[in-house]
Amino acid sequence: MLPASRYGQDLASVYVQGWLNRYLKHQSSAPLLATSFKYLEPTAVGQWTPVTLQRSRQLSFYYCSAYGLHDDRGQIVSSDC
C-alpha cells in the first residue's frame, strides 16, 4: 500500500477501511477515533494472525499526525503539528 513499517501498513489499512465504512456505508461505529484497533494480519498464504494496534505507538513523532472528522456532535479536531 504505502511505504511504511509493518504496523504502519496495518494502521493505514484500518483507517482506510474505517473511513470507507463511516462515510460510504454510513456506519457510525467505524473506529476512526479509537485508541486501539484489532486487525487480522496476513502471516503466510491463507493464514492470518490477530494483532492489536495502539494508535499512539504507531503515529510518527517526526511528522504531523493531525486529523479532522465530523460526527453527530460536530467536528472533532486534533492539531498535532
Side-chain angles (χ1 to χ4, degrees):
M1 174 189 319
L2 302 170
S5 67
R6 171 184 169 190
Y7 294 125
Q9 291 178 358
D10 294 351
L11 189 65
S13 179
V14 167
Y15 274 120
V16 167
Q17 291 174 45
W19 188 91
L20 291 171
N21 285 337
R22 181 175 181 97
Y23 293 105
L24 296 180
K25 294 182 178 180
H26 304 288
Q27 295 176 351
S28 61
S29 62
L32 294 175
L33 297 174
T35 58
S36 65
F37 306 95
K38 294 194 186 287
Y39 184 75
L40 286 176
E41 183 179 66
T43 54
V45 176
Q47 294 180 346
W48 301 83
T49 302
V51 294
T52 300
L53 304 172
Q54 300 298 322
R55 181 177 62 179
S56 63
R57 299 176 99 187
Q58 306 309 320
L59 298 177
S60 174
F61 54 86
Y62 292 112
Y63 301 103
C64 296
S65 299
Y67 59 84
L69 302 169
H70 290 78
D71 69 356
D72 298 336
R73 298 170 300 211
Q75 186 173 11
I76 300 170
V77 177
S78 170
S79 56
D80 178 26
C81 283

